[in-house]
Amino acid sequence: MYDRLDGRSLKPNFLKGVGEFIEFCKEHPICNDGDKIRCSCPLCDNRRCHDTETVRVYWYKKGFVSNYYQWICQGESLVESSHVQPNQYRDMVIDALGNNQEHLLNEEGNSVEEEPNDEAKKFIDLLKADGDPLYEGSKLSVLEMASRIASLKCEFNLNHRCVDGFASLLNDAIPNNNQMGRTFNSTKKVLEGLELPHERIHTCPKGCLLFWKGDAQLDKCRVCGSDRYKKTAKGKLIPAKVLIYFPITPRLQRLYSTKNISEDMTWHAKNPRVQNTFAHPSDSQAWKHLDTTFPNFASEPRNVRLGLCTDGFAPHELKQLREVGAMTYDISSKQNFNLRATLLWTISDFPAYGMLSGWSTAGKKACHYCMDKSKAFWLEHGGKVSWFDCHQQFIPHDHPFRKNKTAFCKNKVEHGMGPHIMCGEELWQCVKDLPKATDGPEALKKLKSA
């Protein structure tokens, strides 16, 4: 049924199959609407009924909806089959909330090795409670209905009054003994305990510091003197700039609260490898080096090695998670363990790389290999920095490009070698005595002029 075209023509076997399918639909009128049948083309998706000739034309032009191997909407195995059409909203709920309610409910009677910690228990209990049917006999749960309403509101940018209206209408349309809220606020309360935490932290408008911890009570930035607050037209004070911080710890803990994901988190420790085959990041030299250097960290396979996109990410936030850890419940093994994480890889653009390394990625010294020995120069008319021909010093000494006087800088031969690449200890000796930007305005001026 999916082998339809031979060039621009329909294949004879496909034409024959369409005819047999139409006859099959006629023999199973339980799913039909009068003399019409359900159309299973990608556009109609078994939701619309047409006469047989219209359906035949649609199948000729568009083919069949993908993965429709069991014709449950046309009557195949209606009694025997337990297969149901996939519910994209239900799958979305499971993916978005980070848990599979079936696993939680099916394993309720199994022996539990350890009780979940307080945070995990609160999450699991909430899922079980909101997994109750919307009303007796309903296929939808309270949780799924709330998630679908919230999804529709975001997808179509509906305002609160609109959502209140159709929530109230649905409440009147379904049986009276239902558990559905009549307003959007009551719907949000169902999802309230499932959302992951975030913090709003006031920050200096110029990005010098965060008004956090020891600086939480300041009204001005102690580095540049900028005001923390600004006045609105009505005279109300609001923060000039706000950082929204999403803690990584509860998000990692949520992964271990999900049955199928928690099992995959330790795939590298449980599955055998084919020699000389790269099947997982744990096969890389960086992962193996970390395990060798920190055997205590590597002894717990559930500890997390992070590869983070670092645009706007500050790595010092991981310090507590690396050194102290967080008590986490692993639902696959039904055990509590101390989860630790470390940063193994970073993925960033050049400006974010400058933030991470502390080396400015702008100007003539932007190259983190050449540093102050860079051969970059300013363009005379464009006013921009150019690294044209800087690469020639890194190629082998006998490479013909070094003596090419026409393809690169005219009448110039490159005899020099690339600068020495410093190790971490050498770099530290260069920067250890520099002033810190957080030491105040004077230190910041010295640092900019260094």
Side-chain angles (χ1 to χ4, degrees):
M1 62 192 293
Y2 293 107
D3 189 14
R4 183 166 62 100
L5 296 175
D6 182 7
R8 299 184 65 179
S9 303
L10 294 171
K11 292 186 175 181
N13 286 341
F14 178 80
L15 296 174
K16 180 182 177 182
V18 167
E20 293 175 351
F21 194 6
I22 289 177
E23 291 303 317
F24 175 84
C25 296
K26 290 179 179 178
E27 294 172 3
H28 297 78
I30 189 172
C31 289
N32 299 345
D33 181 12
D35 59 346
K36 297 181 179 180
I37 63 174
R38 290 188 182 274
C39 179
S40 53
C41 75
L43 180 63
C44 297
D45 194 19
N46 287 314
R47 293 175 297 177
R48 300 172 183 172
C49 295
H50 307 286
D51 60 82
T52 55
E53 290 308 310
T54 301
V55 172
R56 189 192 302 269
V57 171
Y58 280 6
W59 286 342
Y60 285 172
K61 289 183 177 180
K62 301 179 176 62
F64 288 84
V65 65
S66 61
N67 298 320
Y68 191 52
Y69 298 106
Q70 190 172 17
W71 308 333
I72 60 171
C73 292
Q74 276 73 25
E76 181 180 85
S77 304
L78 285 174
V79 177
E80 298 86 356
S81 175
S82 61
H83 176 79
V84 294
Q85 283 285 77
N87 187 326
Q88 59 177 338
Y89 285 98
R90 181 172 177 79
D91 295 340
M92 178 193 68
V93 170
I94 292 172
D95 292 340
L97 300 180
N99 214 306
N100 191 324
Q101 297 179 59
E102 279 87 353
H103 285 300
L104 294 174
L105 298 175
N106 291 341
E107 295 183 355
E108 189 173 6
N110 297 344
S111 58
V112 179
E113 296 184 11
E114 290 184 14
E115 284 292 323
N117 59 60
D118 292 340
E119 287 297 320
K121 191 173 187 304
K122 186 187 304 182
F123 174 72
I124 293 172
D125 290 344
L126 185 60
L127 279 182
K128 289 180 180 178
D130 290 324
D132 297 335
L134 191 61
Y135 56 88
E136 186 176 354
S138 173
K139 296 181 180 179
L140 292 178
S141 67
V142 179
L143 181 62
E144 185 177 353
M145 177 57 80
S147 301
R148 291 180 68 168
I149 290 176
S151 174
L152 290 172
K153 181 187 185 306
C154 296
E155 184 177 356
F156 298 104
N157 195 26
L158 305 176
N159 60 42
H160 281 208
R161 292 184 62 188
C162 178
V163 179
D164 290 347
F166 75 71
S168 179
L169 178 62
L170 285 174
N171 195 296
D172 293 336
I174 60 180
N176 292 331
N177 57 340
N178 66 76
Q179 302 184 50
M180 181 177 174
R182 302 187 68 92
T183 63
F184 180 59
N185 287 334
S186 60
T187 302
K188 285 198 301 182
K189 289 180 180 178
V190 177
L191 305 173
E192 188 174 10
L194 301 177
E195 61 186 17
L196 291 166
H198 69 277
E199 299 177 30
R200 297 175 64 86
I201 304 173
H202 298 178
T203 179
C204 170
K206 298 181 179 178
C208 301
L209 59 77
L210 301 176
F211 294 101
W212 192 47
K213 292 188 175 180
D215 299 325
Q217 305 302 321
L218 298 179
D219 291 330
K220 292 181 179 292
C221 174
R222 59 182 174 83
V223 177
C224 67
S226 298
D227 290 329
R228 174 177 179 175
Y229 300 100
K230 61 182 181 181
K231 283 188 177 182
T232 64
K234 296 182 178 180
K236 183 180 178 181
L237 290 176
I238 59 173
K241 194 174 184 179
V242 176
L243 167 73
I244 300 179
Y245 167 52
F246 299 94
I248 192 172
T249 300
R251 284 155 177 81
L252 293 178
Q253 290 175 319
R254 184 63 63 86
L255 295 178
Y256 279 102
S257 296
T258 310
K259 176 69 176 179
N260 53 341
I261 297 180
S262 63
E263 293 173 348
D264 292 339
M265 293 291 285
T266 55
W267 187 94
H268 62 278
K270 298 176 181 178
N271 289 269
R273 301 288 203 283
V274 178
Q275 191 173 4
N276 299 324
T277 300
F278 196 104
H280 189 273
S282 61
D283 299 329
S284 67
Q285 292 300 318
W287 190 298
K288 294 175 181 177
H289 175 72
L290 177 72
D291 288 353
T292 305
T293 309
F294 304 100
N296 184 41
F297 183 90
S299 63
E300 173 54 80
R302 290 173 292 193
N303 285 338
V304 179
R305 286 85 165 171
L306 296 170
L308 296 176
C309 178
T310 54
D311 194 0
F313 178 84
H316 64 266
E317 294 171 4
L318 294 172
K319 185 176 180 180
Q320 182 175 359
L321 197 55
R322 169 64 188 271
E323 297 178 356
V324 181
M327 189 55 62
T328 303
Y329 183 68
D330 181 4
I331 196 171
S332 61
S333 63
K334 299 191 174 82
Q335 290 181 340
N336 292 290
F337 73 102
N338 187 41
L339 172 66
R340 296 168 62 197
T342 190
L343 183 60
L344 187 56
W345 295 287
T346 60
I347 306 168
S348 57
D349 56 13
F350 216 49
Y353 176 82
M355 179 197 71
L356 283 171
S357 64
W359 184 267
S360 175
T361 52
K364 292 178 66 175
K365 299 180 182 179
C367 178
H368 54 280
Y369 289 114
C370 299
M371 303 171 100
D372 58 331
K373 299 178 179 61
S374 173
K375 294 184 178 181
F377 57 93
W378 294 96
L379 294 176
E380 183 178 352
H381 300 290
K384 294 183 179 180
V385 179
S386 174
W387 285 268
F388 185 72
D389 280 356
C390 291
H391 60 283
Q392 284 179 285
Q393 59 185 328
F394 293 100
I395 60 179
H397 194 69
D398 57 348
H399 198 284
F401 279 2
R402 284 182 172 269
K403 297 180 180 180
N404 192 322
K405 298 181 180 180
T406 57
F408 304 97
C409 286
K410 289 185 179 180
N411 301 322
K412 180 182 177 182
V413 176
E414 180 62 68
H415 296 290
M417 297 300 292
H420 166 66
I421 306 300
M422 292 188 286
C423 65
E425 183 59 33
E426 290 174 306
L427 285 170
W428 174 244
Q429 293 300 321
C430 294
V431 302
K432 67 176 184 178
D433 296 325
L434 291 175
K436 297 179 181 179
T438 55
D439 290 341
E442 294 300 323
L444 187 60
K445 290 180 181 178
K446 291 181 181 178
L447 189 61
K448 289 182 177 180
S449 62

